Amino acid sequence: MNPHLFAQARRKRSIRIIMLFALLLLIGFIISLNTGRYSLAPNEIWQTLLGEGSKKQNIVLFDLRLPRMIIAVLMGAGLAVSGAVLQGISRNGLSDPGILGINSGAGLAVLLFVSFYPTAQVAPPFFMPFLALIGAGVTAAIIYMLSYKKGHGISPTRLLLTGIAVGAGFSSASIILTLQLNPRNLEFVVTWQMGSLWGSNWEFVLALLPWIVILLPIVYWKARVLNMLSLNEQLASSLGVSINKERLILITAAVGLAASSVAIGGGIGFVGLLGPHIARRLAGPQHQYMLPITAGVGALLVLAGDTIGRSLMEYTEVPAGVVISLLGGPYFIYLLMRSGR
């Protein structure tokens, strides 16, 4: 087949898949708006959006559900694209900000802040992503240094095992800190660790939005570089690509996406693993086609996980992180068994 025609066909297929996920997200939004203890019929949702709803309907829709759903979409897209970048750089399909320990580092930084701050409720949301970024950045640097071997670069297996070990260490430190918290902060930390989208108001939406809006285009702009890094670094270097510089930019973007998402939405794992794998099966390995679909898959996963968690039990909610882990855990085991063959 003519390469130009093949690329054109791939592009058209990717556009169709993106439109499909946009439709699925719209359907997911409509379902999620009507999911919870207080039911809103479609006509009531429409009336409330037009400013004709009751006071109770306005509170449920605008103060409780809409910000939570927007955070779910932003967080899912951020975590999934972060996982795609990490998988491309490390050439390891098992890489994920949660599995590699980056989420644990971000969480430890947030936990340290909560431990010394008077109450979780007054913790400034715009400050928390920066704290999480510091924790995630330090974690990524430690993992990178321990995984790197002079003359051999980074071994995918070594990177995975190092990330799991570092993440376990930070998780243990988080547990020790948790035991010393007062009851109010302890409730916040437990809720956050389970990935229950705790920051569900417009202030938290505005705290997360700039990170996603800025970093996602940067990653997409580097899609072709990511293609070369994920295939052959020697070839990329011979074509004039500055390997260390590009890798640093991409790792910084991946860490920023993961850290900001975790700081605002909580400790949700496996999205960065599932999103890229599903997108790669649908669109192929080229990142200029895969990344937008990865963002859509991640957004849909977290939105669906949160919606399902709100509808499983009558008087309580199952955190979105728990729902997604029920899917991600078996899939991770499947990938491990496959990679060992």
Side-chain angles (χ1 to χ4, degrees), residues 209-231:
L209 187 63
W211 294 81
I212 305 299
V213 168
I214 292 170
L215 293 176
L216 284 187
I218 290 174
V219 172
Y220 186 76
W221 179 48
K222 296 289 183 181
R224 296 187 186 277
V225 174
L226 196 53
N227 287 340
M228 290 187 279
L229 292 177
S230 62
L231 291 174

Side-chain angles (χ1 to χ4, degrees), residues 5-75:
L5 292 175
F6 180 75
Q8 203 171 43
R10 177 67 62 83
R11 192 180 302 113
K12 287 180 180 178
R13 174 181 166 82
S14 299
I15 291 171
R16 286 197 296 268
I17 295 170
I18 291 168
M19 291 175 66
L20 173 63
F21 273 100
L23 178 62
L24 290 173
L25 273 173
L26 178 61
I27 294 170
F29 247 81
I30 294 169
I31 294 171
S32 189
L33 280 172
N34 199 35
T35 300
R37 293 184 193 178
Y38 184 77
S39 180
L40 288 172
N43 64 310
E44 291 176 329
I45 292 171
W46 182 246
Q47 288 173 354
T48 308
L49 288 172
L50 293 175
E52 299 174 2
S54 66
K55 184 178 180 181
K56 187 174 184 180
Q57 288 170 341
N58 276 293
I59 290 172
V60 170
L61 189 66
F62 291 110
D63 294 344
L64 300 176
R65 290 188 188 164
L66 268 179
R68 179 169 180 160
M69 289 158 56
I70 292 171
I71 285 174
V73 169
L74 294 175
M75 182 182 183

Side-chain angles (χ1 to χ4, degrees), residues 12-230:
K12 287 180 180 178
R13 174 181 166 82
S14 299
I15 291 171
R16 286 197 296 268
I17 295 170
I18 291 168
M19 291 175 66
L20 173 63
F21 273 100
L23 178 62
L24 290 173
L25 273 173
L26 178 61
I27 294 170
F29 247 81
I30 294 169
I31 294 171
S32 189
L33 280 172
N34 199 35
T35 300
R37 293 184 193 178
Y38 184 77
S39 180
L40 288 172
N43 64 310
E44 291 176 329
I45 292 171
W46 182 246
Q47 288 173 354
T48 308
L49 288 172
L50 293 175
E52 299 174 2
S54 66
K55 184 178 180 181
K56 187 174 184 180
Q57 288 170 341
N58 276 293
I59 290 172
V60 170
L61 189 66
F62 291 110
D63 294 344
L64 300 176
R65 290 188 188 164
L66 268 179
R68 179 169 180 160
M69 289 158 56
I70 292 171
I71 285 174
V73 169
L74 294 175
M75 182 182 183
L79 288 174
V81 172
S82 175
V85 172
L86 293 173
Q87 287 176 19
I89 290 174
S90 65
R91 297 190 295 280
N92 187 344
L94 298 176
S95 295
D96 163 86
I99 295 167
L100 290 182
I102 292 172
N103 287 2
S104 297
L108 181 60
V110 171
L111 183 55
L112 282 168
F113 175 70
V114 171
S115 299
F116 295 101
Y117 209 80
T119 64
Q121 282 70 22
V122 294
F126 291 93
F127 186 51
M128 294 185 73
F130 290 99
L131 287 168
L133 181 62
I134 293 170
V138 170
T139 305
I142 292 171
I143 293 168
Y144 185 86
M145 287 188 293
L146 293 176
S147 304
Y148 185 82
K149 195 173 181 181
K150 194 172 180 181
H152 299 278
I154 297 177
S155 161
T157 304
R158 189 182 179 93
L159 178 73
L160 180 66
L161 294 175
T162 303
I164 291 172
V166 171
F170 283 152
S171 295
S172 300
S174 297
I175 292 171
I176 294 171
L177 279 171
T178 301
L179 295 174
Q180 302 178 38
L181 293 175
N182 62 54
R184 181 180 290 180
N185 283 354
L186 178 62
E187 182 183 356
F188 155 74
V189 168
V190 172
T191 303
W192 177 88
Q193 286 176 336
M194 289 191 295
S196 63
L197 303 182
W198 64 276
S200 53
N201 63 51
W202 292 108
E203 196 174 16
F204 286 93
V205 172
L206 293 175
L208 178 58
L209 187 63
W211 294 81
I212 305 299
V213 168
I214 292 170
L215 293 176
L216 284 187
I218 290 174
V219 172
Y220 186 76
W221 179 48
K222 296 289 183 181
R224 296 187 186 277
V225 174
L226 196 53
N227 287 340
M228 290 187 279
L229 292 177
S230 62

